[in-house]
Amino acid sequence: MTTHAPGPERPPGPRGHWLFGNTEEYDRDRNGFLERCHREYGDVFSYDARTIVVSSPDQVHALLARTNKDFLAENSPLAGPVDTERMAADAELWTSTRRVGWQGLHRRVARAHAERLREIFRETVGDGETDVLATMAAFFGRATADFCLSVDAEGVPEALAENVAAIDPLSRSSLQLPPWWPSRRVRRFTRSRERLLALMTEVVRRRRLAGDPSAQDLLGLLLASADRGLSDLQIERFLRGIMLAALGVPATALTWIVYELGRRPDVRARLAAESASAGDVPELEELPYTEAFVKEVLRLWPPTWLIGRTVRRETELGGWRLRPGDQVLFSLYRLHRDSRWWSDPDRLVPERWLDPHVAPARHTYLPFGAGPRVCVGTQLGMMQLTLATSWLVGDMEITGPQEATPDFSGLLVPRDLRVGLRRKVVPRGV
C-alpha cells in the first residue's frame, strides 16, 4: 500500500438534513446544487461523510490519471457492498481487453463502418415531427451494433435500447437500490442486462465456431487476436460495455447538436456549405468546421456531465485524506463552462477550435474523459457525430420549436426536444 503523509480529514460542505443529508436538495436541482456549493466552498467540498466533489483542472486530472491505481471507475446502477479489490480485478480485465479493442478503431474497420453508417442514417432519420432523442437513440443503436457486430447484429439494437431504458430510471435517483430489492425497476434492469449478455454470448459463440476472421467489425478483431488469450467472457463483457457507452452518450450528443442547429441558422448555413463541398461519406479532414462545431457542442453539453471514482486505497487528493470506499465526483459541465478557463463560456463558438495555435487550458476539456479509463471510442464517436452532423445539414431541413430544458438527472439531455425533420427536395448524393 502506498503511504502518504497525514492530511486534513474532510473538506467543508453543506450539512443537509439530519436524516437524508443533501440527497433531497441535490435531486431537486443537481447542477444548481453543485454550482451553489462551488461558490460557497470553493474547488473542493464534502457532499457527505464518504463523498467529496472536486472542481479544479489539476484535481480532476489527478483523479482520472490515477484511476486503476488509487481510484476505480464504478458504474453499476445498483447498490452493493464496496469491494475495491473486486473492482480492481474488473478494471484489469477491462484494461487488458481494451488494449486489443483499440485496434477496432483502425482505419480499415472505421471506413467500412462509415460506409454502412450512411445507409443507417438514411433509414433511421426520416421525415416529420420527431422526438429527437428517441430518433438518435434508434440511429446509434443500429450504428453501435453495426460497428461491433456487423452481420451478427440482429436483435442487438433492441436489447441494447431496453438495457439503456432500464438504467435510466435508476440513474435518476441518488438513492441506489440493492439487486435484491423488490422493485419493478430493479427487475426490469436485471432482466434487460441478462438478455443482452445472453445475446452477446450467443453471437460470440457462433462467430468463434464459424472461424471467419474477415469480418470488418470489432468482434472480428477481438476474436482474431488469439495470441492475446481473450476469453469469450472477456469479449462479451467488453462488447456490452462498449455498446452501452456508444449508444446513450452519442445519441444524447447528437440530440444537442440538433438543438444548436435549430438555434443558430448562421452556423447551420456554414455547415451546410461545407457539407455540400464534401463527398457523400467524407473524410474528417474535409469537414474542419463541422468537427469544430461538434467539439463545441460537447463542451457546452457534455452528455456524461458528472463523473465519479471510488477510492481503492488510502490516499490523498488536493491535500485531503481519502479512505477506501470513499467517492470522488466532478462536474464536467461546470468545468467546461468555468469562466476562469473559457472566454464566453456559455456561448456556442465553434471558431475557438479552428486556430491550431490556440488550445484550451490544460485538463479543462474532457468530453471523453482521460487517463487509463479514457473512452475507447473517442475517435469512433467523433467520426460518427461529425458525419451525422454533415448529413443532417446536407439532407434535412430542421423546423419547429427549439427550446428545451436541460435535464441533469442522468445523462445531460434536452428534455422533450421535438423538431420537424424533413428531407430536402433533392437530397445530396442521389
Side-chain angles (χ1 to χ4, degrees), residues 66-75 83-99 234 237-238 309-310 312 372-373:
R66 289 160 56 191
T67 296
N68 289 0
K69 180 184 177 185
D70 297 323
F71 304 98
L72 297 166
E74 177 63 75
N75 54 13
D83 184 343
T84 55
E85 291 314 304
R86 177 196 60 78
M87 292 166 61
D90 288 346
E92 178 55 35
L93 182 69
W94 172 270
T95 302
S96 63
T97 310
R98 70 173 286 158
R99 292 190 189 105
Q234 283 177 291
R237 290 172 63 179
F238 182 76
R309 293 290 186 262
T310 299
R312 179 183 181 184
R373 292 300 292 264

Side-chain angles (χ1 to χ4, degrees), residues 163 188-198 240:
N163 200 186
R188 181 189 180 192
F189 167 72
T190 302
R191 285 197 302 267
S192 67
R193 179 179 59 185
E194 290 174 351
R195 181 187 174 209
L196 183 57
L197 285 172
R240 176 181 176 271

Side-chain angles (χ1 to χ4, degrees), residues 51-68:
T51 306
I52 70 169
V53 180
V54 300
S55 300
S56 81
D58 288 343
Q59 292 166 343
V60 169
H61 172 70
L63 178 67
L64 297 179
R66 289 160 56 191
T67 296
N68 289 0

